[in-house]
């Protein structure tokens, strides 16, 4: 009898473990410990109150998993009810969809349950569109359902390049368009909504051409397959980028939590696991970087940056620390990659072309050097495409019909004719708002006289994408909480404008004025705000390793944030109280406008403020060296980076090379004066050949306060090779020569 009881008890325990959200006791314990650690750190704002609710065992397990790896930004910007609603919807999809029982537990946990795909704004997409999507794929196999979901996504959005702030899935639908990162985020969200494991895959930079790309992988019956997001094809593993993908150096995916799959893990943080799936697309090699000091001794803990030449600069695509042997390794495509290594102010560099390289840290900030390198991309390969003519023809008909569905929706947007009673400036804003035109219109309509002029000026100062997804309540808060003043450039851009960096816009000015005003008074100084932030907002960089920017309201709620979100909060607080403030594109630091000019703000350390010290450069270019490029352009042929403690920080100009003071330089970087902060820099140039090869050159220069430095901007000649004339968008679709548009 005792024996029978033990068998029954063991069976019951086995069933219980099987039905727990995480069946592995070891994984469950690890997740719970990480969850409790976060709960001990983030004690403000009631962010864990949701766990006092009545939850099922599955709901509690799923919620603990999400919270155990959640970024500080998500903890502060969303409430527990939002995440619980998503968890319940995901569990419902697993129960209702025919493939739900077949999806392995770990894949459901990492590739279905998470709402976040990359760095997008989270929204209610899963709850809003589950019914529509599940009805659309009713009766289909998992394979056919994945293809059909992509057709649905194509009806809702098409490719248009935008700025780097990633729209939420519903915002992409509202606009009817998005860049590849937004299309893939949208498509992954749609697949996950119906219980299909999906992930965003992206090459951080192509090696053979400027630009990068992101797409989707879906797990179908035991294997991962790729597809172009919002670009449906008749079959899986077919996309316009089949051939370019074979020339990639790296393929990244960020997976929520501590993931232990078969893929190559590049790094693990306490928020995500970054995996490299380049093996699925291209021939690879395993390369080792060995870092030594000036005396040839191995350096442990050195920072190694793997860089690909793209957009006129060597762009860091992976950053890894060296081990006790001074080594770090990486799987990559069969092309050249540039290595920049640094440690405690010393740095060195070199081109990695084979299985290994030794980099000596024999340089420091201020050293002068020039070097040239030929950077070769991987050679073209092929991912086979096996489609019949009938499949291709039928798909073209479907795509045309889907375009018509989307265009019927976008035809409801504002046009000049529809809003002809508005001023030209207001018309431009209403047209740019696209699917969000109702909120923008309501905002403008509610204002008159001088207040309307102020409202229009604020809208014009915001980024174009802000007009696409910023709601009426946000606009009202931004305008009403700032004291009216003369509409000078400084007032409009650095006080009235709610946009600071690439954070999502939410109402924040009223709550900041109420909270800080109760302690500092109605008109605090910038110095008082600095001290309040230093005292009340703690840093938590380890809980936001990829800097998904928190909103100022989220920072205030949580009282903790990554360093950049904390700096953005300082700028937001200054603007809320009428103090001109900004994030400097030159220094990368928060600044406020003092009596004698812009003042850098250091929120950490003993020194809190210092006046910005600036000089300028004048570039000299001889077009006779490369006649095919009479005027080199920034982000295509050249770039500037500042050397700080042995590492590089790229200088980001906008498309018109507008500097922090509002003066616009020549977009070719051939201006008489280009203002830069005092310090040491490198100027990088590159001449791309038709083969994809880059003739790169790097030269150092220094900037001194109040002085103008002449810097030679030289492109290396192509000699007998064919160079690329002009530039192209690698994501655009082109017809073969002689073909006609249907």
């Amino acid at each position: 009898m005792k024996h029978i009881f033990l068998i029954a008890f063991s069976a019951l325990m086995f069933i219980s473990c099987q039905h727990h959200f995480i069946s592995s006791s070891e994984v469950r314990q690890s997740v719970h410990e990480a969850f409790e650690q976060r709960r001990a750190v983030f004690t403000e704002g009631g962010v864990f109150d949701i766990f006092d609710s009545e939850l099922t065992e599955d709901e509690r397990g799923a919620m603990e998993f999400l919270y155990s790896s959640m970024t500080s930004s998500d903890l502060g910007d969303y409430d527990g009810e939002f995440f619980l609603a998503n968890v319940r919807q995901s569990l419902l999809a697993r129960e209702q969809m025919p493939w739900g029982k077949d999806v392995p537990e770990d894949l459901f946990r990492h590739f279905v349950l998470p709402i976040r795909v990359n760095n997008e704004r989270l929204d209610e997409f899963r709850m809003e569109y589950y019914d529509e999507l599940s009805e659309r794929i009713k009766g289909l196999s998992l394979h056919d359902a994945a293809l059909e979901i992509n057709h649905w996504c194509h009806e809702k959005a098409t490719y248009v390049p935008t700025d780097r702030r990633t729209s939420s899935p519903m915002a992409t639908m509202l606009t009817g368009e998005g860049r590849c990162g937004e299309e893939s985020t949208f498509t992954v969200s749609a697949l996950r909504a119906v219980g299909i494991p999906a992930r965003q895959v992206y090459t951080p930079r192509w090696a053979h051409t400027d630009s990068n790309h992101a797409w989707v992988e879906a797990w179908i019956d035991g294997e991962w397959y790729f597809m172009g997001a919002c670009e449906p094809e008749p079959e899986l593993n077919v996309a316009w980028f089949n051939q370019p993908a074979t020339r990639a150096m790296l393929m990244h995916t960020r997976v929520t939590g501590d993931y232990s799959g078969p893929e190559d893990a590049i790094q693990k943080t306490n928020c995500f696991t970054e995996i490299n799936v380049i093996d699925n697309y291209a021939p690879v090699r395993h390369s080792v970087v060995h870092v030594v000091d000036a005396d040839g001794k191995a350096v442990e803990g050195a920072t190694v940056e793997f860089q690909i030449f793209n957009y006129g600069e060597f762009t860091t695509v992976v950053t890894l620390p060296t081990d006790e042997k001074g080594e770090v390794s990486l799987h990559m495509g069969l092309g050249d990659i540039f290595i920049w290594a640094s440690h405690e102010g010393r740095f060195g560099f070199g081109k990695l072309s084979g299985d290994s390289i030794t980099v000596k840290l024999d340089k420091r900030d201020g050293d002068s050097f020039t070097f040239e390198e030929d950077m070769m991309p991987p050679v073209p390969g092929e991912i086979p495409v096996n489609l019949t003519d009938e499949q291709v023809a039928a798909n073209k008909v479907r795509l045309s019909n889907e375009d018509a569905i989307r265009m019927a929706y976008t035809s409801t947007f504002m046009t000049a004719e529809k809003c002809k009673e508005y001023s030209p400036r207001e018309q431009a804003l209403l047209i740019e708002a696209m699917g969000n035109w109702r909120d923008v219109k309501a905002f403008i309509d509610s204002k008159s006289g001088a207040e309307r002029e102020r409202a229009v000026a604020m809208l014009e100062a915001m980024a174009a994408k802000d007009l696409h997804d910023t709601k009426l309540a946000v606009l009202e808060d931004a305008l009403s909480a700032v004291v009216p003043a003369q509409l000078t450039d400084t007032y409009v851009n650095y006080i009235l404008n709610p946009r600071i960096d690439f954070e999502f816009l939410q109402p924040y000015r009223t709550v900041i004025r109420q909270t800080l005003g109760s302690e500092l008074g109605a008109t605090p100084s910038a110095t008082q705000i600095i001290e309040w932030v230093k005292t009340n907002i703690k840093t938590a960089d380890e809980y936001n390793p990829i800097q998904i920017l928190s909103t100022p309201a989220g920072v205030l709620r949580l009282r903790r944030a990554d360093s950049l979100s904390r700096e953005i909060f300082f700028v937001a607080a200054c603007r809320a109280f009428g103090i001109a403030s900004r994030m400097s594109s030159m220094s990368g630091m928060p600044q406020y406008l003092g009596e004698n000019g812009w003042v850098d703000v250091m929120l950490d350390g003993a020194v809190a403020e210092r006046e910005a010290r600036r000089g300028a450069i004048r570039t000299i270019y001889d077009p006779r060296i490369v006649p095919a490029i009479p005027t080199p352009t920034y982000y295509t042929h050249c770039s500037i980076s500042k050397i700080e403690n042995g590492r590089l920080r790229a200088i980001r100009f906008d498309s018109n090379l507008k500097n922090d003071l509002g003066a616009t330089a020549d977009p070719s970087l051939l201006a008489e004066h280009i203002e830069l902060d005092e310090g040491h820099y490198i100027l990088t140039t590159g001449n791309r050949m038709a083969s994809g090869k880059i003739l790169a050159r790097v030269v150092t220069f220094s900037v001194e306060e109040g002085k103008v430095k002449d810097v030679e901007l030289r492109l290396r000649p192509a000699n007998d090779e064919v160079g690329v004339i002009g530039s192209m968008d690698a994501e655009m679709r082109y017809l073969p020569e002689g073909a006609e548009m249907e």
Side-chain angles (χ1 to χ4, degrees), residues 477-665:
D477 171 81
L479 186 70
S480 64
V482 175
V483 176
Q486 184 180 357
L487 297 178
T488 63
D489 286 345
T490 296
Y491 173 78
V492 171
N493 291 315
Y494 304 123
I495 296 177
L496 187 60
N497 186 3
R499 163 65 55 213
I500 298 168
D501 197 277
F502 282 92
E503 76 286 359
F504 184 75
L505 292 184
Q506 275 188 325
Y508 65 81
R509 285 182 168 169
T510 299
V511 67
I512 286 179
R513 286 180 64 88
Q514 291 172 346
T515 304
L516 274 66
S518 65
E519 299 182 37
L520 304 179
T523 57
S525 66
T527 299
Q528 287 178 297
I529 294 174
I530 291 171
E531 292 306 315
W532 191 94
V533 173
K534 291 176 70 172
T535 301
N536 293 278
I537 308 296
K538 306 302 180 186
T539 55
D541 288 323
E542 67 273 26
Y543 293 101
N544 199 356
I546 58 170
Q547 289 187 330
I548 298 172
L549 296 180
S550 302
T551 66
V555 173
L556 189 61
R557 176 194 181 196
L558 207 61
R559 300 298 175 102
R560 282 184 181 270
D562 61 275
S563 298
L564 179 55
S565 294
R566 185 181 184 222
E567 291 169 347
I568 290 171
F569 176 84
F570 163 77
V571 174
C574 283
R575 292 187 185 182
F577 287 101
I579 302 169
S581 187
R582 70 187 183 193
M583 293 296 299
S584 172
S585 63
M586 296 297 142
S587 66
M589 301 174 66
Q591 296 178 325
Y592 72 88
L593 189 59
E595 293 182 1
N596 299 316
W598 291 98
V599 179
D600 289 336
V601 173
M602 286 74 72
L603 295 176
D604 294 309
V607 178
E609 306 171 57
R610 70 181 183 203
E611 289 190 6
R613 297 185 293 272
R614 287 194 159 181
I617 64 169
R618 178 173 52 213
T619 55
I620 301 170
Y621 178 70
D622 185 351
R624 294 172 297 180
I625 297 176
V626 184
I629 307 176
T631 307
T633 56
Y634 207 77
Y635 298 132
T636 299
H637 304 107
C638 56
S639 65
I640 295 173
S641 296
K642 190 175 185 183
I643 306 175
E644 297 174 328
N645 196 33
R647 300 191 67 179
L648 298 176
R649 181 177 61 80
I651 302 301
R652 301 299 183 199
F653 297 103
D654 69 13
S655 59
N656 292 316
L657 291 187
K658 184 178 291 185
N659 62 31
D660 286 334
L661 299 180
T664 300

Side-chain angles (χ1 to χ4, degrees), residues 19 21 56 58-59 86-104 108 112-113 126 130 134 137 191-197:
H19 282 278
F21 179 73
T56 68
D58 261 2
E59 289 170 354
N86 274 277
V87 162
R88 286 173 171 165
Q89 189 63 58
S90 299
L91 295 173
L92 178 68
R94 183 174 66 174
E95 178 184 340
Q96 292 186 341
M97 302 311 296
W99 45 80
K101 65 182 183 302
D102 299 324
V103 174
F108 179 84
V112 175
L113 179 70
R126 202 169 290 205
Y130 172 74
S134 59
I137 60 175
L191 291 163
R192 289 181 180 178
V194 292
I196 301 176

Side-chain angles (χ1 to χ4, degrees), residues 323-365:
D323 59 18
E324 66 278 0
K325 297 179 181 179
E327 293 181 350
V328 66
S329 62
L330 187 67
H331 277 89
M332 66 185 73
L334 304 182
D336 295 341
I337 200 162
F338 195 70
I339 304 297
W340 185 283
S342 58
H343 184 66
E344 296 180 350
R346 293 278 187 173
F347 64 91
F349 46 80
K351 181 177 73 172
L352 174 59
S353 298
D355 295 335
S356 65
I357 185 177
T358 298
V359 177
K360 180 178 289 189
L361 306 182
D362 56 358
K363 295 179 175 59
R364 65 172 64 214
D365 297 10

Side-chain angles (χ1 to χ4, degrees), residues 701-731:
F701 65 91
S702 296
V703 174
E704 298 181 50
E705 184 179 13
K707 296 183 179 180
V708 179
K709 173 79 170 181
D710 286 341
V711 178
E712 182 186 21
L713 196 165
R714 181 190 298 177
L715 289 174
R716 294 172 56 200
N719 297 325
D720 295 332
E721 296 189 67
V722 178
V724 174
I725 300 175
S727 62
M728 61 171 281
D729 182 346
E731 295 181 15

Side-chain angles (χ1 to χ4, degrees), residues 8-18:
F9 178 77
S10 298
L12 180 63
M13 289 300 294
F14 175 76
I15 292 171
S16 174
C17 286
Q18 285 294 97

Side-chain angles (χ1 to χ4, degrees), residues 37-185:
Q37 182 186 48
R38 268 173 170 71
R39 183 149 67 173
V41 171
F42 298 98
T43 57
E44 299 289 337
V47 295
F48 288 89
D49 289 353
I50 190 65
F51 289 91
D52 297 331
S53 307
E54 193 170 318
L55 304 174
T56 68
E57 186 176 35
D58 261 2
E59 289 170 354
R60 187 171 295 276
M63 288 287 282
E64 282 203 5
F65 172 75
L66 289 180
Y67 275 70
S68 71
S69 56
M70 197 171 290
T71 62
S72 56
S73 56
D74 287 353
L75 285 168
D77 283 344
Y78 309 92
D79 57 34
E81 286 75 14
F82 169 79
F83 290 109
L84 180 57
N86 274 277
V87 162
R88 286 173 171 165
Q89 189 63 58
S90 299
L91 295 173
L92 178 68
R94 183 174 66 174
E95 178 184 340
Q96 292 186 341
M97 302 311 296
W99 45 80
K101 65 182 183 302
D102 299 324
V103 174
E105 176 190 299
D106 63 329
L107 294 186
F108 179 84
R109 188 164 65 241
H110 292 285
F111 299 107
V112 175
L113 179 70
I115 309 109
R116 178 164 297 291
V117 178
N118 199 303
N119 61 355
E120 76 282 6
R121 175 67 179 172
L122 305 183
D123 63 21
E124 293 75 16
F125 175 85
R126 202 169 290 205
M127 288 76 75
E128 291 288 333
Y129 289 97
Y130 172 74
D131 289 343
E132 181 177 338
L133 287 166
S134 59
E135 183 63 27
R136 176 82 171 238
I137 60 175
K138 191 173 182 179
L140 297 180
S141 67
L142 181 54
H143 169 278
D144 292 346
L147 292 171
E148 189 62 32
I149 290 294
N150 204 16
H151 279 287
W152 182 87
C153 291
H154 180 243
E155 291 176 5
K156 308 300 180 184
T158 190
Y159 173 79
V160 172
T162 64
D163 69 35
R164 64 184 175 91
R165 178 171 72 83
T166 305
S167 295
S168 71
M170 291 174 67
T172 298
M173 293 177 65
L174 183 67
T175 308
E177 64 183 36
R179 56 178 168 78
C180 62
E182 291 163 331
E183 288 183 307
S184 52
T185 294

Side-chain angles (χ1 to χ4, degrees), residues 465-482:
K465 188 180 285 186
D466 292 334
L467 298 175
H468 299 169
D469 61 4
T470 304
K471 296 305 175 185
L472 179 61
V474 182
L475 299 174
E476 291 288 3
D477 171 81
L479 186 70
S480 64
V482 175

